[in-house]
Amino acid sequence: ARLCSVTPVNLATSAMSAYEQRKILEVALRGRQLRQVVMTVDFNSFAPPIDASLPEITDPLPVYLYDDNPWNDFPYLLSGTVAMRSLSMIRNVPVGRYSTDTNRAWAWDHEVEFSRKRSLHGVDPADINRRFRQAPRTLEHMLASLDANIIPLISSHPKTRFTLVFPPYSILVWADFVQRDQVDVSLAFKRKLVQRLGALPNAE
């Protein structure tokens, strides 16, 4: 906000799929004219089914809250978990391990050591994916998800500037990609995405 002289809104969600990105941004864009959207392009976001959350997420995005139908919101209003969280917030008791600061949503950097030792903890160098069990990705499926979730969103809001950012992966991620034969598909997807953005004047 200070550097760019804007009023930013942090819409971060843990392990978001491309479908969930679209649902959240549709609500934000429906509410007001946004000047700029900055969004990450994570390869794994395009791995699940085109209209679904990542399968390994135990608490997926409640998509029923991201539509215009108020009658399907009862699971939220009647949820015991939501009631307990609301009570905790009213009593100013921390909920979970994530920050409740709106400027630092989902922040966990304050409780994790960033080091080589920590990165390798519990990882089998011979089978990096054994712990994470990421499914193999295909270029065709990733492009189908991109064309269904992201490209139409950008093209239908020509007055909003979209900046797509590839997050910097550690060398450990690329070593995993090598083991699972995912390097070529990842780089090919990156090239195709940049080509598609080239046809959209409001994207970079």
Side-chain angles (χ1 to χ4, degrees), residues 17-20 22 47-52 140-141 143-146 148-149:
S17 69
Y19 168 70
E20 291 173 329
R22 174 171 65 87
I50 290 171
D51 58 351
E140 294 74 22
H141 178 79
L143 290 175
S145 180
L146 174 70
N149 291 306

Side-chain angles (χ1 to χ4, degrees), residues 6-57:
V6 296
T7 304
V9 178
N10 186 344
L11 300 177
T13 299
S14 180
M16 194 185 307
S17 69
Y19 168 70
E20 291 173 329
Q21 277 185 310
R22 174 171 65 87
K23 299 301 285 185
I24 289 173
L25 284 173
E26 281 175 345
V27 173
L29 290 161
R30 190 165 60 234
R32 64 176 62 187
Q33 176 66 50
L34 302 183
R35 195 167 83 189
Q36 173 119 27
V37 170
V38 180
M39 57 191 297
T40 58
V41 181
D42 191 310
F43 296 130
N44 286 331
S45 295
F46 299 87
I50 290 171
D51 58 351
S53 304
L54 273 72
E56 63 269 22
I57 300 302

Side-chain angles (χ1 to χ4, degrees), residues 56-68:
E56 63 269 22
I57 300 302
T58 56
D59 194 14
L61 187 77
V63 291
Y64 58 85
L65 294 177
Y66 290 81
D67 59 27
D68 292 324

